[in-house]
Amino acid sequence: MRAPEPALRSGLRWRLTLWVAAVMLVSALAVFAVVYQDTGAQLRSQIRHDITDDTGQLAQSLRTLRAVSSTEVSAAARRYMTALPYRATSTLVFTLVPGAATVSNVPEAFGADRPDPGETAADQHRENEEGRSLAKPRPGYFTLPLPDVGQTLILERPVRLGQLTAVVGAGEPLTTVEQAQHGVARAFLLAGAAALALALLASYLAGARVSAPLRRMAAIATRVNAGDLAPRMELAGRRGDEVRVLAEAFNHMLDRLAEAFGSQREFVADASHELRTPLTVIRGQLEVLAAQEDPSSDEVRRVERLLQAEIARISRLVDDLLVLAQADQTNFLRTEAVDVPSFVEEIWDGISLTADRRFELGPVPDGSLQADPDRLAQALRNLARNAIEHTSEADGVVRLEVQPMDRIGLRFVVTDDGPGIPAPERERVFERFHRVDAARSRANGGAGLGLPIVRAIAEAHGGKVVAAEANGRGARVELMLPGFAGQGS
Ligand SMILES: Nc1ncnc2c1ncn2[C@@H]1O[C@H](COP(=O)(O)OP(=O)(O)OP(=O)(O)O)[C@@H](O)[C@H]1O
Ligand SMILES: [Mg+2]
């Protein structure tokens, strides 16, 4: 099957870049809005403060002059603005006196001194309208577009001077606020654009860096999918680094995969080899029979016996292979509480009938074991069969001991007085198809699957099996299982 092309191109890089851009943009806009508003608010409050001060000073100076008639007030106001040292910070200062002309430091604002050069009649008419609107007393703060000045924040407050109520006012153009806010916007635009460009570049590069190993991994996975198990990720970066941990896990997984494939291949090759031997014998015998024109009935029976033996060997091999194939599955075991004394006795009686040996059974502890009785019996039979095969007829000793272990486990020990298993072979005898003396084993019909099956059964129970050092001569194999509840404990 063709491996599909990995769909991982550069999505991660772009997604990361877009995310950074979006986050930066939103946060920059929020900061900008706050700074923009705040700058405006601060300047406005400064302007309010200034015009309040100026109107206060003007009112104060009119009061101290004790002017009471319109003309006196007008004159006093004019003096304040021209003759007196002019201290006001406001652009526009004025006094509205009922029955007299408005006094202001910017007379044009009130429609005087018209027209300016270049102004049309319409301009002048509009400006006069604005001037009239300003000359109408309206105490408090308000904004008004003034000719040649623009939007202006104005404060007018009435001042009682004897019988007369004059209105003093001051105004400051709001253009400074706008200019400051434009300045903020410009600065933000420049700095923001530069920062955004830098952040985009950085996140694109970071994204490329992060996604590079992922893309390499995808490429390797594609090759693995196509059947090539050799490539591995190179381990860059510090130990514990996420990408490195991922690469290590990935390589480890590939190692395991290669190992599993290898052992599976080996297993199939070994199994085929083991099956081929009896099949060759069967074919050879049938050919011998077919070559005879009129075979005797003795000859036919001899061939039949041989074929039966070879077929039995094949059946056992197939049964064993099936058990090993099932051992990894979750429903391999059907555990139940097994009464240890009656179970062991029954098994051992059965085994004792299969051969002529001195079968010995040590004391068996009372209690029950959580186990699959059929699989446990199969494991014990495999161990006993090995002991029988390696001891001499009649006087060979085959012994089973059952001992409680660590209070919650049970140990089955099968010993014999045969040649024993050589120490360097004690681990390898549990490998599939491994035999210490292949020629002899094969003669006995052994394929080297007995002990691997015992190990698979032990491990499925959460236990283990080991070939141990015997006391004296012979072999000693220990099968240890958890799940024992001793009587009275
Ligand atoms: N009690 C024993 N004494 C001496 N050698 C043993 C004993 N039990 C096992 N072995 C050695 O370990 C090897 C593996 O044993 P195992 O039971 O897996 O295979 P087998 O007996 O050869 O074949 P099978 O059990 O499939 O019929 C045997 O071939 C034998 O060499
Ligand atoms: Mg065996």
Side-chain angles (χ1 to χ4, degrees), residues 316 320 382-383 385-387 389-390 416 419-421 429 431 434-437 441 445-452 475 477:
R316 199 157 75 77
D320 286 353
N382 281 3
L383 296 182
R385 185 143 34 85
N386 281 351
E389 278 165 10
H390 292 90
D416 62 54
I421 307 171
V429 287
E431 288 171 12
H434 183 79
R435 288 156 297 203
V436 176
D437 180 353
S441 260
L449 292 178
L451 288 180
V477 183

Side-chain angles (χ1 to χ4, degrees), residues 7-237:
L8 196 79
R9 278 197 200 91
S10 52
L12 185 64
R13 264 178 291 173
W14 286 113
R15 271 207 302 280
L16 194 68
T17 311
L18 277 179
W19 268 107
V20 170
V23 169
M24 284 247 343
L25 219 60
V26 168
S27 43
L29 279 178
V31 173
F32 169 71
V34 169
V35 173
Y36 190 85
Q37 284 294 328
D38 200 53
T39 308
Q42 267 190 27
L43 281 173
R44 264 172 221 275
S45 116
Q46 181 61 45
I47 288 173
R48 265 168 190 261
H49 189 257
D50 288 350
I51 58 180
T52 312
D53 263 9
D54 286 339
T55 49
Q57 278 177 24
L58 177 51
Q60 187 57 34
S61 89
L62 290 183
R63 276 196 206 98
T64 44
L65 284 171
R66 301 195 181 286
V68 286
S69 74
S70 306
T71 12
E72 282 171 345
V73 172
S74 269
R78 201 166 289 118
R79 264 205 311 284
Y80 178 85
M81 281 170 222
T82 53
L84 288 176
Y86 187 62
R87 283 165 288 139
T89 46
S90 298
T91 307
L92 169 72
V93 184
F94 59 91
T95 311
L96 306 177
V97 189
T102 302
V103 185
S104 169
N105 65 334
V106 188
E108 314 87 88
F110 295 87
D113 285 355
R114 294 293 154 81
D116 278 350
E119 269 185 348
T120 63
D123 286 343
Q124 198 184 341
H125 177 74
R126 184 175 45 79
E127 291 186 355
N128 283 340
E129 279 297 309
E130 287 165 358
R132 261 197 292 285
S133 125
L134 182 60
K136 219 181 291 161
R138 53 175 124 169
Y141 294 96
F142 57 92
T143 49
L144 206 69
L146 287 192
D148 311 329
V149 179
Q151 281 291 344
T152 310
L153 180 66
I154 294 166
L155 168 64
E156 285 186 1
R157 53 156 79 162
V159 189
R160 261 203 86 66
L161 302 162
Q163 296 295 311
L164 187 130
T165 304
V167 170
V168 294
E172 188 67 37
L174 290 173
T175 43
T176 47
V177 178
E178 279 166 26
Q179 276 164 5
Q181 285 184 322
H182 284 160
V184 167
R186 234 188 344 267
F188 255 90
L189 208 67
L190 282 176
L196 190 68
L198 268 177
L200 288 185
L201 186 69
S203 55
Y204 182 83
L205 292 178
R209 223 182 130 85
V210 168
S211 65
L214 295 182
R215 277 178 293 128
R216 272 203 302 279
M217 215 173 268
I220 290 179
T222 309
R223 284 174 64 183
V224 169
N225 208 3
D228 178 9
L229 284 170
R232 293 287 182 276
M233 290 289 293
E234 64 182 89
L235 300 177

Side-chain angles (χ1 to χ4, degrees), residues 348 351 354-360 383-399 414-421 440 444 473-476:
W348 203 241
I351 288 171
T354 59
D356 187 13
R357 298 287 186 282
R358 278 167 49 205
F359 289 97
E360 296 175 5
L383 296 182
R385 185 143 34 85
N386 281 351
I388 292 168
E389 278 165 10
H390 292 90
T391 45
S392 50
E393 218 156 299
D395 61 343
V397 180
V398 177
R399 184 176 169 83
V414 179
T415 52
D416 62 54
D417 64 349
I421 307 171
R440 184 188 152 161
N444 291 342
R473 55 173 271 141
R476 176 185 177 94

